[in-house]
Amino acid sequence: MDFVKIRILGAHNTESENTKYTCFLIDDTLAVDAGALTASLSFKDLARLEAVLLTHEHFDHIRDIPTTAFNLFFQDRSLNLVCTAGVKKAVIKYLFNKTIYPEYHKLPRGKPTITFSIIRPGGRFRIGGYEVTAIPVLHTKSAIGFLVSDNQNSSTFFSSDSGPGFLKNWKYPLPQTIITEVTMPDRFAGFASQTGHLTPQTLAAEISGCSRLTGHRPNILVAHLHPLYEQELKRELAIISAKLNLQIAVAAEKMILEI
Ligand SMILES: [Zn+2]
Ligand SMILES: [Zn+2]
């Protein structure tokens, strides 16, 4: 049986020497978010990329779209961005606006480097060999997570950024793996909830409050970590992992999962 390979290109909410913005690469061809495409991939790897699923328009999730477009333009390649109409509007208005970067969604004429496929929250579609469902999460107005399944029932839910509540009324197939954010430690619970993010305790409540997960043991991988609080987050996550008797791993750049 073939595994789905997921490369963690960026596992953090900010960039520094050893941390990169949120970005995952599925089987070398499909990315979830664009926080670390050019920051992590070679020109050759970049040319293999066919599409990027964008969860929302925050900078840490779209940062490498202009640099990826620039590199692909000169390799005569194109890239499809799959996102909501709001994210498309923001990418064009703030990035490809002829002031910050050229209009790569129009260039080269007749065969633009960047194309868009518009999805709505709740929508299902096929891309490459994958079935993808765009699942509303609780962050920006139309932020979505992506449930990505292949033909052999390997399935992963990429939660994007989300505050508590996205698993509560889960009505979709249960994934084998959930790649979720946990951005800051429990002592910032108030700020996390105001800004639509999780802490270890709210992740624990999220998992134990989801009745559909009872008896189902998904692997949990935590990403979108704030690097300054990483050790504290790891200690708090180890405690909830033991309490829930559930495997909770912490993502890191260059990690590869086979699912
Ligand atoms: Zn965000
Ligand atoms: Zn973010």
Side-chain angles (χ1 to χ4, degrees), residues 13 22 56 58 60-61 139 161 197 224:
N13 72 342
T22 302
H56 64 300
H58 283 163
D60 51 321
H61 300 256
H139 187 58
D161 293 359
H197 291 295
H224 201 267

mmCIF file of all heavy atoms in Angstrom, residues 13 22 56 58 60-61 139 161 197 224, ligand 2:
data_model
loop_
_atom_site.group_PDB
_atom_site.id
_atom_site.type_symbol
_atom_site.label_atom_id
_atom_site.label_comp_id
_atom_site.label_asym_id
_atom_site.label_seq_id
_atom_site.Cartn_x
_atom_site.Cartn_y
_atom_site.Cartn_z
ATOM 1 N N ASN A 13 4.352 29.978 13.829
ATOM 2 C CA ASN A 13 3.561 31.155 13.451
ATOM 3 C C ASN A 13 4.442 32.369 13.177
ATOM 4 O O ASN A 13 3.953 33.457 12.952
ATOM 5 C CB ASN A 13 2.512 31.486 14.526
ATOM 6 C CG ASN A 13 3.148 32.051 15.781
ATOM 7 O OD1 ASN A 13 4.351 31.890 16.000
ATOM 8 N ND2 ASN A 13 2.352 32.699 16.618
ATOM 9 N N THR A 22 3.737 28.596 8.634
ATOM 10 C CA THR A 22 2.909 27.402 8.405
ATOM 11 C C THR A 22 2.851 26.958 6.938
ATOM 12 O O THR A 22 2.499 27.746 6.056
ATOM 13 C CB THR A 22 1.469 27.678 8.883
ATOM 14 O OG1 THR A 22 1.547 28.034 10.255
ATOM 15 C CG2 THR A 22 0.581 26.473 8.714
ATOM 16 N N HIS A 56 -6.604 30.659 4.787
ATOM 17 C CA HIS A 56 -7.069 32.032 5.012
ATOM 18 C C HIS A 56 -5.949 32.987 4.615
ATOM 19 O O HIS A 56 -4.868 32.552 4.207
ATOM 20 C CB HIS A 56 -7.543 32.238 6.458
ATOM 21 C CG HIS A 56 -6.501 32.092 7.525
ATOM 22 N ND1 HIS A 56 -5.784 30.937 7.734
ATOM 23 C CD2 HIS A 56 -6.042 32.975 8.456
ATOM 24 C CE1 HIS A 56 -4.950 31.109 8.746
ATOM 25 N NE2 HIS A 56 -5.091 32.336 9.202
ATOM 26 N N HIS A 58 -4.188 35.367 6.251
ATOM 27 C CA HIS A 58 -3.173 35.954 7.138
ATOM 28 C C HIS A 58 -1.772 35.731 6.574
ATOM 29 O O HIS A 58 -1.489 34.707 5.954
ATOM 30 C CB HIS A 58 -3.289 35.362 8.547
ATOM 31 C CG HIS A 58 -4.441 35.957 9.324
ATOM 32 N ND1 HIS A 58 -4.962 35.380 10.450
ATOM 33 C CD2 HIS A 58 -5.153 37.095 9.107
ATOM 34 C CE1 HIS A 58 -5.947 36.140 10.906
ATOM 35 N NE2 HIS A 58 -6.090 37.175 10.111
ATOM 36 N N ASP A 60 1.154 34.885 7.612
ATOM 37 C CA ASP A 60 1.967 33.688 7.865
ATOM 38 C C ASP A 60 1.505 32.487 7.037
ATOM 39 O O ASP A 60 2.192 31.472 6.997
ATOM 40 C CB ASP A 60 1.999 33.340 9.368
ATOM 41 C CG ASP A 60 0.631 33.270 10.022
ATOM 42 O OD1 ASP A 60 -0.242 34.102 9.687
ATOM 43 O OD2 ASP A 60 0.416 32.381 10.867
ATOM 44 N N HIS A 61 0.365 32.603 6.347
ATOM 45 C CA HIS A 61 -0.139 31.489 5.525
ATOM 46 C C HIS A 61 -0.004 31.753 4.022
ATOM 47 O O HIS A 61 -0.174 30.852 3.220
ATOM 48 C CB HIS A 61 -1.597 31.190 5.897
ATOM 49 C CG HIS A 61 -1.740 30.812 7.341
ATOM 50 N ND1 HIS A 61 -1.927 29.510 7.756
ATOM 51 C CD2 HIS A 61 -1.655 31.553 8.464
ATOM 52 C CE1 HIS A 61 -1.966 29.485 9.085
ATOM 53 N NE2 HIS A 61 -1.801 30.706 9.544
ATOM 54 N N HIS A 139 -11.832 31.234 13.052
ATOM 55 C CA HIS A 139 -10.653 32.108 13.088
ATOM 56 C C HIS A 139 -10.995 33.438 12.419
ATOM 57 O O HIS A 139 -11.520 34.321 13.068
ATOM 58 C CB HIS A 139 -9.489 31.387 12.413
ATOM 59 C CG HIS A 139 -8.186 32.087 12.525
ATOM 60 N ND1 HIS A 139 -7.595 32.406 13.717
ATOM 61 C CD2 HIS A 139 -7.332 32.556 11.572
ATOM 62 C CE1 HIS A 139 -6.453 33.035 13.513
ATOM 63 N NE2 HIS A 139 -6.275 33.139 12.213
ATOM 64 N N ASP A 161 -5.632 27.804 11.310
ATOM 65 C CA ASP A 161 -5.739 28.471 12.604
ATOM 66 C C ASP A 161 -7.200 28.364 13.017
ATOM 67 O O ASP A 161 -8.097 28.609 12.206
ATOM 68 C CB ASP A 161 -5.382 29.956 12.465
ATOM 69 C CG ASP A 161 -3.919 30.174 12.123
ATOM 70 O OD1 ASP A 161 -3.190 29.178 12.017
ATOM 71 O OD2 ASP A 161 -3.521 31.339 11.967
ATOM 72 N N HIS A 197 -7.336 31.209 18.499
ATOM 73 C CA HIS A 197 -6.275 30.206 18.555
ATOM 74 C C HIS A 197 -6.504 29.245 19.726
ATOM 75 O O HIS A 197 -7.310 29.520 20.616
ATOM 76 C CB HIS A 197 -4.906 30.890 18.724
ATOM 77 C CG HIS A 197 -4.474 31.651 17.514
ATOM 78 N ND1 HIS A 197 -4.200 31.037 16.304
ATOM 79 C CD2 HIS A 197 -4.268 32.971 17.303
ATOM 80 C CE1 HIS A 197 -3.844 31.954 15.418
ATOM 81 N NE2 HIS A 197 -3.889 33.133 15.997
ATOM 82 N N HIS A 224 1.937 25.388 14.101
ATOM 83 C CA HIS A 224 1.648 26.818 14.306
ATOM 84 C C HIS A 224 2.064 27.260 15.718
ATOM 85 O O HIS A 224 1.417 28.057 16.379
ATOM 86 C CB HIS A 224 0.156 27.093 14.068
ATOM 87 C CG HIS A 224 -0.185 28.534 13.764
ATOM 88 N ND1 HIS A 224 -0.560 29.436 14.735
ATOM 89 C CD2 HIS A 224 -0.223 29.226 12.597
ATOM 90 C CE1 HIS A 224 -0.813 30.619 14.176
ATOM 91 N NE2 HIS A 224 -0.608 30.522 12.884
HETATM 92 ZN ZN ZN B 2 -1.445 31.760 11.432
#
